[in-house]
Amino acid sequence: DIQMTQSPSSLSASVGDRVTITCQASQDISNYLNWYQQKPGKAPKLLIYDASNLQTGVPSRFSGSGSGTDFTFTISSLQPEDIATYYCQQYDNLPGTFGQGTKVEIK
Amino acid sequence: EVQLVESGGGLVQPGGSLRLSCSASGFTFSGYAVHWVRQAPGKGLEYVSAISSNGGSTYYADSVKGRFTISRDNSKNTLYLQMSSLRAEDTAVFYCVKGRGSGRTPSLDYWGQGTLVTVSS
């Protein structure tokens, strides 16, 4: 199975800050990577697909980049409603393994 | 609007069985693969199983292979997960998830609200 290493596991930032999360795959996955947001008690929501494409209806402050093994997810200006856990997931191979998650909190 | 509604979760004893269902609406169910992803309490996401749009191709994670069976009824827009020989480590919220394509490729878009399965004596 492909291993996805996500970091950091948690972060605390102020409203308006730029937030960056990284995800590293154990092998080349091209751009077959999604990013999801999960708010407490809710189901995950797709934010970014194919590493850098914004899902319909998702605010433009969210973005993704990368290819191969190294990927980055960015919130350009953190908002209070962005408090959540964020997960990367590769879909190059079954099983579609997830990163461990990054919990984002407001400082 | 895409909707996925899971049902069938509950408390079951170790070694027991349970069948989860997922009722889909808002999209052409027969045109897309569907998947099961689970989340143990306080833990991350674990990919469990997939079935292609026509039901001809399935996939199971090693942790559930031989114990779980995925199936679908495209005439009823419904996905199923038959679970047997349940273990305490199967305790989780099980999510039904729509795939972005018709094959088993695990690119996921819309998620149901989840159904909790608790395996305990």
Side-chain angles (χ1 to χ4, degrees):
Chain A
D1 296 359
I2 297 174
Q3 307 303 313
M4 304 301 294
T5 303
Q6 191 175 333
S7 62
S9 57
S10 66
L11 66 88
S12 181
S14 300
V15 172
D17 281 355
R18 183 180 186 88
V19 168
T20 299
I21 299 168
T22 63
C23 188
Q24 185 171 60
S26 60
Q27 66 187 66
D28 189 338
I29 59 168
S30 185
N31 67 331
Y32 300 135
L33 184 102
N34 288 345
W35 290 96
Y36 303 91
Q37 175 193 65
Q38 186 177 31
K39 295 185 177 181
K42 300 293 187 182
K45 173 187 174 183
L46 176 65
L47 299 182
I48 303 285
Y49 64 94
D50 296 347
S52 61
N53 293 303
L54 199 64
Q55 175 73 341
T56 302
V58 174
S60 59
R61 64 180 180 274
F62 296 101
S63 65
S65 64
S67 66
T69 60
D70 296 302
F71 301 86
T72 300
F73 173 80
T74 300
I75 307 173
S76 61
S77 177
L78 186 67
Q79 299 303 303
E81 60 266 33
D82 300 334
I83 299 313
T85 300
Y86 294 84
Y87 294 92
C88 63
Q89 184 228 0
Q90 67 81 21
Y91 53 93
D92 183 47
N93 280 336
L94 286 161
T97 42
F98 294 87
Q100 307 95 311
T102 297
K103 188 174 184 179
V104 174
E105 298 175 322
I106 296 286
K107 192 180 295 182
Chain B
E1 179 192 6
V2 172
Q3 286 200 318
L4 299 156
V5 180
E6 302 94 336
S7 60
L11 176 64
V12 61
Q13 292 188 337
S17 299
L18 210 57
R19 189 177 84 154
L20 306 183
S21 299
C22 171
S23 178
S25 61
F27 66 102
T28 304
F29 183 70
S30 60
Y32 293 90
V34 272
H35 309 255
W36 290 99
V37 175
R38 68 184 179 183
Q39 186 170 37
K43 302 298 184 183
L45 300 166
E46 180 187 14
Y47 187 87
V48 174
S49 184
I51 187 166
S52 60
S53 59
N54 65 4
S57 182
T58 59
Y59 171 85
Y60 301 94
D62 287 343
S63 57
V64 307
K65 199 174 297 181
R67 301 187 299 122
F68 290 11
T69 302
I70 191 171
S71 62
R72 65 190 295 163
D73 186 337
N74 285 346
S75 69
K76 295 182 178 179
N77 288 353
T78 302
L79 171 71
Y80 303 99
L81 187 68
Q82 179 68 48
M83 304 185 294
S84 61
S85 302
L86 283 162
R87 307 165 179 165
E89 54 265 35
D90 294 318
T91 295
V93 174
F94 282 73
Y95 293 104
C96 166
V97 194
K98 173 185 169 292
R100 290 178 56 224
S102 61
R104 299 180 310 168
T105 300
S107 183
L108 316 171
D109 50 19
Y110 295 93
W111 298 59
Q113 86 288 350
T115 187
L116 176 62
V117 173
T118 303
V119 184
S120 175
S121 55

